[in-house]
Amino acid sequence: MKTSLTGIKPTHLPHLGNYLGAIRPALSLVDQYRTLYFIADYHALTSVRDSDALRGYIRDVAATWLACGLDPERTLLYRQSDVPEVFELTWVLSCLLATGQLERGHAFKDALARGESPNAGIFNYPVLMAADILLYDTDVVPIGKDQKQHLELTRDVATRLNHAYGEGTLVVPEALIGEAPLVPGTDGEKMSKSKGNGIPLFEPPKKLRKVIMGIKTSSESLEDPKVAEGSTVYELYALVAPDEASDMKRKLEAGGYGWGHAKEALFEAVEAEIGPKREAYLSIRADETQLDAVLHAGAHKAREIAHATIQRVRSAVGID
Ligand code: ADP
Ligand code: TRP
């Protein structure tokens, strides 16, 4: 079985965009791949400065993935920081990378373009990410388009190390770029925590309903026929309830069906998808001892793989 690995940065409570764009697709790979999904807590340090908030986000993210169906018996779920071997590999990889390659990193370049002075963590971010991937003999990495450049750098440095020290030392991974379109937020822009346009995953149903009722729509009257394609309500509905989407489209285009009706249908579809997961989330999140035990057990198994890789790399480079 090939290995699929991805990292999740614990920087906020996951929203519906994370669920549809990252969590659901990654969990659908469990039957085809050996899966390793980890919480990239050291990556979060490039932006999170509040230690209590970080502790909370780590558990929020772990509980979310478990509530969404991650089975820790089948998928290794662990914290990046529980496997310190990742830093040994980070160093070896950084000695093979040109600084110019990191200077071309999107996140680093964008921060400079905004006139910021990015920290060295942002500069080195792609090296740590490459180590995250290469440490576990990963074959495929399910990611969003925004991470494509990081995967190219990972492939590049793995190929370079193999070339310098021996073919087969590291597995060269492939990106698995999701087909799913970007999930729009309540304002029609890409749903994103930083834009305040998110649809929460596990808030109480009353709150969820309020957020959905606040989605921006055009202002036709109830009787008017409406254009479904491109409207935020319809696009979200098609992602959450694809089998019923043509029915909503027909009703909107026929007229006599208002945006309020469509939002109500969307609320019900979202609630049907995440309602049962909310209960699971609340109980998993409440038992921090058990949650931490799941993460430690995952880390224990992950470390065995990491240990074998790091031994191979050390001996290849002459530090054994
Ligand atoms: P952002 O990309 O806004 O910083 P996150 O860091 O929470 O959001 O994203 C983690 C992953 O979740 C992304 O790489 C992407 O795969 C997925 N994701 C986030 N927002 C969306 C969205 N609006 N639509 C689809 N996928 C999304
Ligand atoms: N950079 C990824 C993001 O911002 C998170 C991440 C860290 C990751 N390490 C990884 C993703 C390894 C895939 C593989 O979303």
Side-chain angles (χ1 to χ4, degrees):
M1 237 187 188
K2 290 192 164 186
T3 296
S4 157
L5 167 144
T6 201
I8 312 116
K9 234 183 346 171
T11 50
H12 60 84
L13 250 172
H15 49 62
L16 188 67
N18 298 130
Y19 174 69
L20 296 172
I23 303 176
R24 203 169 64 175
L27 292 179
S28 75
L29 301 175
V30 166
D31 291 330
Q32 283 160 271
Y33 294 95
R34 173 176 78 143
T35 40
L36 286 85
Y37 295 151
F38 70 93
I39 320 273
D41 47 0
Y42 271 123
H43 274 118
L45 279 188
T46 59
S47 59
V48 180
R49 286 287 175 279
D50 177 334
S51 51
D52 284 333
L54 181 59
R55 275 184 206 104
Y57 292 146
I58 291 167
R59 293 186 176 122
D60 293 341
V61 167
T64 298
W65 281 69
L66 289 164
C68 289
L70 184 147
D71 173 0
E73 297 295 322
R74 299 183 71 194
T75 298
L76 288 194
L77 178 69
Y78 58 97
R79 294 193 319 173
Q80 178 186 42
S81 57
D82 278 335
V83 189
E85 284 83 353
V86 76
F87 288 111
E88 289 188 60
L89 187 55
T90 299
W91 179 255
V92 175
L93 300 179
S94 63
C95 293
L96 289 158
L97 281 162
T99 50
Q101 201 165 353
L102 296 177
E103 278 163 5
R104 289 191 292 278
H106 290 319
F108 179 69
K109 257 174 54 180
D110 292 351
L112 287 183
R114 285 194 301 268
E116 297 167 9
S117 12
N119 59 56
I122 292 177
F123 185 74
N124 290 311
Y125 185 110
V127 196
L128 179 57
M129 179 159 162
D132 286 332
I133 297 168
L134 300 172
L135 193 56
Y136 299 96
D137 298 336
T138 303
D139 298 294
V140 300
V141 188
I143 40 162
K145 280 195 202 87
D146 57 320
Q147 300 294 314
K148 218 173 135 195
Q149 190 192 39
H150 291 152
L151 250 290
E152 278 156 18
L153 180 136
T154 304
R155 287 172 55 81
D156 193 45
V157 73
T159 308
R160 214 174 295 167
L161 185 141
N162 285 344
H163 189 66
Y165 294 112
E167 295 307 325
T169 308
L170 293 174
V171 175
V172 182
E174 306 266 350
L176 202 66
I177 310 271
E179 297 291 305
L182 278 186
V183 180
T186 50
D187 57 357
E189 300 290 308
K190 179 198 170 206
M191 190 181 294
S192 167
K193 166 70 182 164
S194 54
K195 290 195 203 128
N197 63 357
I199 296 180
L201 265 187
F202 298 135
E203 293 286 345
K206 246 176 103 173
K207 172 81 196 292
L208 174 65
R209 193 166 183 282
K210 194 165 166 225
V211 173
I212 290 180
M213 290 303 156
I215 294 174
K216 264 201 198 154
T217 57
S218 46
S219 55
E220 300 96 335
S221 70
L222 178 75
E223 291 73 30
D224 291 334
K226 300 167 185 69
V227 182
E229 290 298 339
S231 74
T232 308
V233 179
Y234 172 76
E235 297 296 337
L236 282 169
Y237 191 73
L239 289 166
V240 180
D243 297 342
E244 275 103 278
S246 60
D247 193 38
M248 176 184 278
K249 188 166 183 227
R250 193 179 42 72
K251 287 187 194 154
L252 283 166
E253 289 174 355
Y257 183 80
W259 289 116
H261 296 126
K263 287 179 187 176
E264 194 60 47
L266 174 61
F267 166 68
E268 277 163 26
V270 174
E271 187 56 24
E273 176 83 19
I274 66 175
K277 298 180 175 72
R278 179 190 299 118
E279 284 173 35
Y281 174 80
L282 293 174
S283 84
I284 295 168
R285 182 66 184 84
D287 190 348
E288 296 192 344
T289 310
Q290 170 60 20
L291 187 52
D292 292 352
V294 169
L295 291 171
H296 283 136
H300 185 73
K301 292 185 202 150
R303 256 193 119 164
E304 287 175 15
I305 309 171
H307 187 71
T309 310
I310 218 68
Q311 288 304 111
R312 217 162 58 231
V313 170
R314 281 186 178 187
S315 120
V317 302
I319 300 187
D320 44 357

